[in-house]
Amino acid sequence: MATAQAQLDTKWWSGGKSPFNVEYGKLMMWYFLMSDAFTFGAFLISYGTIRFSQNYWPDPNHVFNAFPGAGHANLPLAFVSLMTFILIISSVTMVLAVHAGHHMDKKGVIKWMAWTIVGGFAFLACQAWEWTHLITGHHAVLIDGKIQEIGTTVTHNPWGPYVPNLLHNGEPVSTTGPVAFGGYFFGITGFHGFHVFSGVVINIIMLLMTINGVFDRKGHYQMIEKAGLYWHFVDLVWVFVFLCFYLI
Amino acid sequence: MEHHVESSTEVTFHHPPGGSDTIKRIIKTTVLLSVITIIELGLGLWMYFLHKGEPSHGLILAIKGIIVILSLAKAFYIVSIFMHLGDEIRNLIMTIVVPLALFVWFIIAFLWEGDSWLNLRNTDGHSRPKTEQRAPEAKKPGVE
């Protein structure tokens, strides 16, 4: 508490001190994340604009209702909740790694960083499955008076309104939906997935540096904190991707 | 442990490493984030079942509004506790948070734009009265 009081009484801008009381690298990581938040924000807002401009938009509970190994069972929100919890848990293991770093606990850092990396890979595997399922899962769609089987891609959207009273192999036939759906979904989840991937790569490098004792020699584990900021940001973005694409 | 205090001249005061308090706070936040997510999923499923009938537009909008607010709460806890922004100096927090206020304009302006676009689409650029506005219905294939 003595430190806290000293902090309050300090004239931060009178020179000779670090006015924000953080390392340069950590401050710059914050500003990078702020700019990245605008990039993601711009993507999501552009998606919102297009969605608002359409008379019809596919219902996410209808599009994302599959679960690996569950066949054609209708399980809305199930798989994406799994992905969300994987990311939340990997965020928690990252905080624990940072916490272990504060205590110069090399073994703890190694253990929690390893779990964070496992979580990152698990999330990427889920996303790979989901993309594959969407692209290769064909649905009967009425195009120019003919029934065609198409999957969800950046140029095709089989999730339009159903054609009344028309069945094809026992399945209802739909019309084509707004083509922007696939582009925005694959674009934004892809950009997020790219962040997860780069986060996993950064975490692996941090893990190797920890194992090699680099931070012990430096005398601090601040690099783990910076990697941690990036990883939490990935989780933060997912909160909004989850909100915009799957929930509302 | 004292030697790491001297290692960085960029930091004037070091936060003393937190003990079991920090772990408790992490667990509390984790539980909170999980509970909020479960509530969100519950609301999402509720909307799914409402959509099977003829839901009132206002109710759906209200549920979506609650989900957005819950997501913002999640974002606050992740940034403040997991990213430790809440523990930083106030001036630093402000340089991050104040620019993000731009999002208020950004979201309102562009969603407004999308709505206006929808209006133009449904009235052929205002050449048709708005009362005719309705979603194009799929044709029965046997009829053509």
Side-chain angles (χ1 to χ4, degrees):
Chain A
M1 282 304 103
T3 326
Q5 194 51 44
Q7 271 186 33
L8 285 177
D9 295 341
T10 303
K11 285 196 171 71
W12 289 102
W13 298 91
S14 58
K17 289 181 222 57
S18 159
F20 286 163
N21 203 37
V22 285
E23 252 189 307
Y24 175 79
K26 199 168 156 186
L27 186 65
M28 289 304 128
M29 179 55 95
W30 269 112
Y31 291 143
F32 164 69
L33 294 182
M34 184 182 68
S35 68
D36 220 16
F38 276 109
T39 311
F40 271 109
F43 282 157
L44 286 172
I45 290 166
S46 137
Y47 159 79
T49 307
I50 297 297
R51 191 170 158 172
F52 265 56
S53 77
Q54 302 285 330
N55 278 304
Y56 176 87
W57 196 260
D59 177 8
N61 286 321
H62 181 53
V63 180
F64 309 105
N65 67 347
F67 201 88
H72 289 287
N74 179 31
L75 301 165
L77 286 171
F79 192 53
V80 73
S81 351
L82 175 70
M83 289 168 79
T84 304
F85 278 108
I86 288 173
L87 222 46
I88 290 178
I89 297 305
S90 83
S91 219
V92 175
T93 55
M94 186 79 229
V95 190
L96 292 171
V98 172
H99 181 71
H102 284 155
H103 289 271
M104 303 296 287
D105 172 10
K106 182 175 164 181
K107 269 193 185 146
V109 173
I110 291 173
K111 178 174 87 177
W112 294 118
M113 283 307 280
W115 279 116
T116 309
I117 292 164
V118 169
F121 274 123
F123 181 86
L124 286 172
C126 288
Q127 201 167 40
W129 183 87
E130 188 171 50
W131 276 37
T132 312
H133 180 80
L134 271 180
I135 295 168
T136 60
H138 287 196
H139 300 270
V141 181
L142 190 67
I143 303 171
D144 297 333
K146 271 183 242 151
I147 293 175
Q148 294 185 23
E149 301 258 334
I150 58 170
T152 316
T153 65
V154 291
T155 52
H156 291 92
N157 179 0
W159 304 104
Y162 280 132
V163 184
N165 308 318
L166 181 65
L167 292 180
H168 176 71
N169 299 334
E171 296 284 319
V173 177
S174 59
T175 46
T176 50
V179 81
F181 178 78
Y184 276 113
F185 177 78
F186 290 117
I188 295 176
T189 60
F191 194 55
H192 175 262
F194 169 68
H195 276 72
V196 178
F197 178 73
S198 53
V200 168
V201 171
I202 291 169
N203 286 347
I204 290 173
I205 294 170
M206 291 302 127
L207 177 64
L208 293 177
M209 285 171 88
T210 312
I211 291 170
N212 291 332
V214 176
F215 304 127
D216 271 340
R217 281 197 294 281
K218 268 191 178 172
H220 59 78
Y221 278 76
Q222 276 167 349
M223 284 297 278
I224 300 285
E225 281 183 48
K226 285 175 238 173
L229 284 181
Y230 186 75
W231 190 253
H232 293 310
F233 178 76
V234 166
D235 184 28
L236 180 68
V237 168
W238 182 254
V239 168
F240 291 101
V241 173
F242 176 55
L243 171 74
C244 296
F245 280 100
Y246 299 91
L247 281 175
I248 64 177
Chain B
M1 204 173 296
E2 282 308 306
H3 61 278
H4 91 270
V5 173
E6 295 143 31
S7 60
S8 173
T9 52
E10 293 169 8
V11 180
T12 314
F13 291 108
H14 280 269
H15 295 293
S20 56
D21 282 9
T22 316
I23 296 284
K24 249 186 221 160
R25 200 162 71 142
I26 292 170
I27 292 171
K28 222 172 119 183
T29 312
T30 312
V31 171
L32 202 65
L33 288 176
S34 307
V35 168
I36 295 178
T37 307
I38 290 166
I39 296 173
E40 282 183 340
L41 289 168
L43 290 171
L45 279 177
W46 187 24
M47 279 204 293
Y48 169 70
F49 288 114
L50 282 176
H51 273 301
K52 291 190 165 176
E54 286 286 321
S56 88
H57 190 66
L59 179 63
I60 293 291
L61 210 63
I63 299 173
K64 286 182 177 180
I66 294 169
I67 295 176
V68 169
I69 292 166
L70 289 175
S71 289
L72 289 173
K74 265 163 81 175
F76 171 80
Y77 283 111
I78 292 172
V79 174
S80 160
I81 311 287
F82 282 0
M83 295 168 93
H84 298 292
L85 187 63
D87 303 331
E88 301 291 359
I89 280 185
R90 194 184 144 83
N91 282 336
L92 167 53
I93 298 175
M94 287 305 147
T95 62
I96 309 289
V97 173
V98 171
L100 293 180
L102 265 174
F103 270 121
V104 177
W105 160 80
F106 201 178
I107 292 168
I108 294 172
F110 277 77
L111 294 188
W112 198 292
E113 182 69 21
D115 190 54
S116 152
W117 191 352
L118 176 71
N119 218 349
L120 290 174
R121 194 195 297 280
N122 288 336
T123 56
D124 290 336
H126 298 309
S127 67
R128 236 160 10 91
K130 208 177 171 185
T131 44
E132 288 177 29
Q133 176 180 332
R134 60 197 297 227
E137 274 176 31
K139 284 180 199 150
K140 286 183 189 178
V143 177
E144 51 188 332

